[in-house]
Amino acid sequence: MLERLQRLLGLQTIPGVFFTSAGIAALFVALAIPFNEIVAESFGLLTGWVAHSLGWFYILAVSGLLIFLLGLAMSRYGNIRLGTDDSLPDYSNLTWFTMLFAAGIGTILMFWGVAEPISHFANPPFEGVEPGSEEAASDAMSLALYHFGLHTWTIFAMPGLAISYFAYRHNLPMRISSLFYPILGKRTFGPWGWAVDVIAVLGTLFGVATSLGLGTLQLNSGLNYLFDAPSTGLVQVIIIAVITGIAATSVALGLDKGVRRLSQLNILLALGLLMFVLTLGPSVFIAEGMVQSVGGYLDALPRLAFWTETFKETDWQRQWTLFYWAWTIAWAPYVGIFIARISRGRTIREFVAGVLFAPTVFTLVWFGIFGLSAIQLEMSGQVELAEQVQQDPSVAVFAFLDAFPMAELASVLSVVIITIFFTTSSDSASLVIDMLTRWDDQPSQVRQRIFWAVAQGGIAATLLLAGGLDALQNVITSLGLPFCILLIFMAVALFRALRADYRGYSVNELVQGRAFAEVEVAPETKQESEYVSKTFDRDRS
């Protein structure tokens, strides 16, 4: 039935993955709009249960994956190249980094660069720390770097490394399900594998929709500051519609013409804004604070990495750490595949070092300039940022820039940067979702990519209308759990494949499962065997 529907619509897809994912997304929107209060309350209850019962699992999983990746990079497997042994990287280091940044957390840094340090500075989560004190400022910077440093990029790097390895070294399709071939065997190319891809598609849709929702709230605040535009649900829906239109145009142009050029432009604009704040802000204070923040982050990292609020049960960790981890995990399939698309030819050691440390250094610089400047303004009493951020964190960057000369010009630049980050996140995700929902030998249709861009905008608008920031946090904290489990299985599959590769198994032996004799594959009928063989050959082509 789904194949007939596909032919009728003229699509090029894997029917089971495409229509299941699209149907679940459409059902969510259809139910959430008329029953928004019930949906918001249900996800609120589910999030409360996840945070109370499984918050420790999120914390342990992400920290464990960080240790795993660092161990791989330093091990004998670090020299294995993501591709043939003589392959070279497709992009220069600078271009690679700009694309990493734009597709990863550009929108997040614009939203939280001022808001998070100020929030922790005014409301320290640790007992005995006085709000507004020097200790509160140090803790605020350490927490911000913890949330957006090595741990965040671990979540992106894990699927990115695994996908790159299996796709470029063993010619498996660039889909999340391919990573489980060492575990599932030929069942990867049937309903079991499709189920994994459906989870990846839904995680990407809701994860990116959450980012778009935060970006919309911030853009609405910027337009309110610049042009007195009202902060209402209608205005936010209009913003999402406009940006989705821009993203659809960009996604139609493809990776090289659309995403790469926008990414390069935006990194230049972001650097310009950084230099503006550094030059006109407390430069010496920023330089001293950044050096101290590095030490504070490294000193606090072992404690924060395994901190679960065991002896102080509050709602702080659910609102901050668990939300960040779940949010990042939810859209890790998209970022992982996008990173894989631009990382062919690098060694595992180069990949881990680049994806973990280069963005973390930029995050340090970003929070060092924006966060420390904001803290200095608050400590000096020039601007009451904390009060404004507590009421609405989306206004943080604009309230912060209001203390600088040429504030309106800087705010306009911020709106442009947020818009482009918004666009690159959406169109990159659309390209990736389209890859997950079609066979490798099928052409990528523009209308399918546009459909997914529109779907992201529709989900983002629905979440905002269903409860704003609280709804974004609750939905994503709940939906991030299934893919968190997939990340762990992904690490197991990658390690098994690397171990077999290092022992000298050929590519064909590895792909056909001969290197994993311990994996028991259920007996197949002749029809099932022919179906799997045909599906596998089609994918690998």
Side-chain angles (χ1 to χ4, degrees):
M1 182 182 68
L2 294 180
E3 289 179 353
R4 289 198 299 270
L5 179 60
Q6 174 178 259
R7 288 194 296 270
L8 179 64
L9 297 175
L11 302 176
Q12 298 283 344
T13 68
I14 305 171
V17 179
F18 180 90
F19 289 109
T20 302
S21 303
I24 293 175
L27 181 63
F28 172 82
V29 172
L31 292 177
I33 291 177
F35 305 107
N36 58 336
E37 293 184 1
I38 297 176
V39 170
E41 182 179 352
S42 299
F43 274 103
L45 293 174
L46 180 58
T47 298
W49 178 83
V50 169
H52 176 74
S53 303
L54 296 173
W56 62 269
F57 177 70
Y58 273 119
I59 302 298
L60 180 62
V62 177
S63 295
L65 289 173
L66 172 59
I67 296 170
F68 171 76
L69 288 175
L70 293 175
L72 275 187
M74 293 184 290
S75 73
R76 60 189 181 182
Y77 306 123
N79 291 324
I80 294 177
R81 194 167 293 277
L82 304 176
T84 59
D85 291 337
D86 59 350
S87 59
L88 297 175
D90 291 340
Y91 298 97
S92 68
N93 289 336
L94 180 60
T95 300
W96 184 50
F97 172 62
T98 59
M99 296 174 78
L100 282 175
F101 177 72
I105 59 172
T107 305
I108 306 173
L109 292 184
M110 283 298 297
F111 191 94
W112 296 110
V114 172
E116 174 153 3
I118 284 296
S119 296
H120 303 327
F121 178 64
N123 295 292
F126 304 119
E127 289 185 1
V129 179
E130 183 181 350
S133 65
E134 180 182 343
E135 187 177 2
S138 179
D139 288 344
M141 292 301 298
S142 296
L143 286 165
L145 294 176
Y146 167 55
H147 287 150
F148 296 106
L150 293 174
H151 279 71
T152 285
W153 285 95
T154 290
I155 297 170
F156 292 151
M158 186 65 252
L161 176 60
I163 293 166
S164 299
Y165 175 79
F166 284 106
Y168 297 135
R169 196 158 181 91
H170 299 298
N171 298 318
L172 284 166
M174 193 172 281
R175 293 201 295 274
I176 299 299
S177 57
S178 297
L179 311 184
F180 296 89
Y181 188 77
I183 296 176
L184 296 176
K186 293 180 181 179
R187 289 172 297 211
T188 302
F189 305 104
W192 281 100
W194 297 344
V196 171
D197 287 331
V198 168
I199 294 174
V201 170
L202 293 175
T204 300
L205 277 174
F206 282 88
V208 174
T210 300
S211 296
L212 301 186
L214 290 176
T216 298
L217 292 174
Q218 195 173 30
L219 281 174
N220 197 174
S221 296
L223 295 175
N224 176 265
Y225 170 80
L226 293 169
F227 308 111
D228 292 325
S231 297
T232 64
L234 177 61
V235 172
Q236 291 162 10
V237 170
I238 292 173
I239 291 173
I240 289 177
V242 171
I243 300 301
T244 299
I246 299 173
T249 302
S250 175
V251 80
L253 295 174
L255 179 64
D256 288 330
K257 292 182 179 179
V259 179
R260 186 182 68 177
R261 292 177 181 175
L262 282 175
S263 300
Q264 291 172 339
L265 170 63
N266 218 34
I267 198 70
L268 293 176
L269 294 177
L271 288 173
L273 185 62
L274 277 177
M275 293 306 299
F276 171 82
V277 176
L278 177 62
T279 303
L280 299 180
S283 303
V284 175
F285 178 83
I286 291 172
E288 292 177 344
M290 286 175 61
V291 173
Q292 182 170 312
S293 295
V294 172
Y297 170 56
L298 295 177
D299 178 63
L301 186 59
R303 174 172 58 92
L304 293 175
F306 297 97
W307 177 53
T308 58
E309 271 195 315
T310 303
F311 306 109
K312 180 186 177 184
E313 293 189 7
T314 68
D315 205 37
W316 186 92
Q317 199 163 59
R318 181 193 69 81
Q319 291 180 334
W320 292 97
T321 306
L322 297 185
F323 165 60
Y324 285 145
W325 286 182
W327 178 16
T328 310
I329 287 169
W331 64 329
Y334 136 61
V335 180
I337 291 179
F338 184 79
I339 292 174
R341 282 284 303 274
I342 61 177
S343 299
R344 180 169 52 187
R346 300 182 184 276
T347 65
I348 289 178
R349 186 170 293 116
E350 290 172 344
F351 181 96
V352 172
V355 177
L356 287 187
F357 292 100
T360 297
V361 170
F362 191 89
T363 300
L364 169 66
V365 173
W366 189 277
F367 276 102
I369 293 176
F370 277 88
L372 288 169
S373 297
I375 288 174
Q376 197 274 340
L377 287 174
E378 181 72 21
M379 293 177 71
S380 64
Q382 298 180 47
V383 181
E384 294 183 356
L385 281 174
E387 182 178 346
Q388 297 182 65
V389 169
Q390 288 174 339
Q391 294 177 355
D392 183 5
S394 66
V395 306
V397 69
F398 302 105
F400 165 73
L401 292 174
D402 200 35
F404 287 79
M406 299 182 291
E408 289 191 3
L409 178 61
S411 296
V412 168
L413 179 60
S414 297
V415 168
V416 172
I417 293 171
I418 295 166
T419 302
I420 297 179
F421 277 141
F422 200 149
T423 302
T424 54
S425 295
S426 179
D427 57 17
S428 302
S430 301
L431 288 167
V432 167
I433 294 174
D434 182 55
M435 289 175 58
L436 288 171
T437 56
R438 62 177 172 83
W439 302 110
D440 281 13
D441 61 349
Q442 291 177 320
S444 176
Q445 293 189 343
V446 172
R447 57 178 172 168
Q448 290 175 197
R449 300 199 300 267
I450 292 176
F451 168 78
W452 292 117
V454 173
Q456 294 161 37
I459 293 174
T462 301
L463 291 174
L464 286 178
L465 294 176
L469 182 59
D470 287 339
L472 295 172
Q473 290 180 322
N474 289 336
V475 169
I476 209 62
T477 303
S478 304
L479 296 182
L481 184 61
F483 199 77
C484 185
I485 297 172
L486 291 184
L487 283 179
I488 296 174
F489 282 103
M490 197 180 298
V492 173
L494 176 62
F495 181 74
R496 295 180 68 185
L498 287 172
R499 187 180 59 183
D501 191 355
Y502 192 82
R503 290 203 301 259
Y505 287 96
S506 70
V507 172
N508 288 333
E509 287 175 325
L510 180 60
V511 172
Q512 293 171 8
R514 296 176 190 172
F516 304 102
E518 67 272 25
V519 178
E520 297 183 1
V521 181
E524 300 168 336
T525 65
K526 180 178 179 182
Q527 182 180 6
E528 288 173 335
S529 179
E530 292 175 350
Y531 168 76
V532 169
S533 177
K534 179 181 177 182
T535 302
F536 176 73
D537 290 340
R538 186 180 190 183
D539 272 356
R540 191 169 56 174
S541 68

